[in-house]
Amino acid sequence: MASAPKTCNASFATRDRLRSHLACHEDKVPCQVCGKYLRAAYMADHLKKHSEGPSNFCSICNREGQKCSH
């Protein structure tokens, strides 16, 4: 197995935990709808929220309305 580029000093007992951790080092991209920054791997699921019925995102802070205190 090829070694990944050295990003931090974390070490893990299993490859699965290492793979999960490596995701936190991925660059984030902005959502074209609300501007929220997410990892590219999660963008498809995030975009589904925008296409499911009426938007429940706050127009002030782009957070979900239920989590917003405005």
Side-chain angles (χ1 to χ4, degrees):
M1 177 181 206
S3 61
K6 189 82 169 168
T7 311
C8 68
N9 293 323
S11 61
F12 300 91
T14 67
R15 287 183 185 173
D16 287 339
R17 289 187 181 170
L18 172 62
R19 286 184 193 125
S20 294
H21 171 75
L22 288 175
C24 79
H25 293 291
E26 291 178 8
D27 290 332
K28 295 181 179 180
V29 294
C31 172
Q32 297 299 317
V33 177
C34 68
K36 184 176 183 178
Y37 279 81
L38 301 158
R39 292 183 199 115
Y42 298 118
M43 191 57 68
D45 287 337
H46 174 77
L47 289 172
K48 288 178 187 176
K49 288 183 179 182
H50 294 298
S51 64
E52 294 173 352
S55 175
N56 62 345
F57 282 87
C58 174
S59 62
I60 298 170
C61 65
N62 286 331
R63 294 178 73 187
E64 290 184 60
Q66 298 166 344
K67 298 176 184 174
C68 181
S69 61
H70 299 294

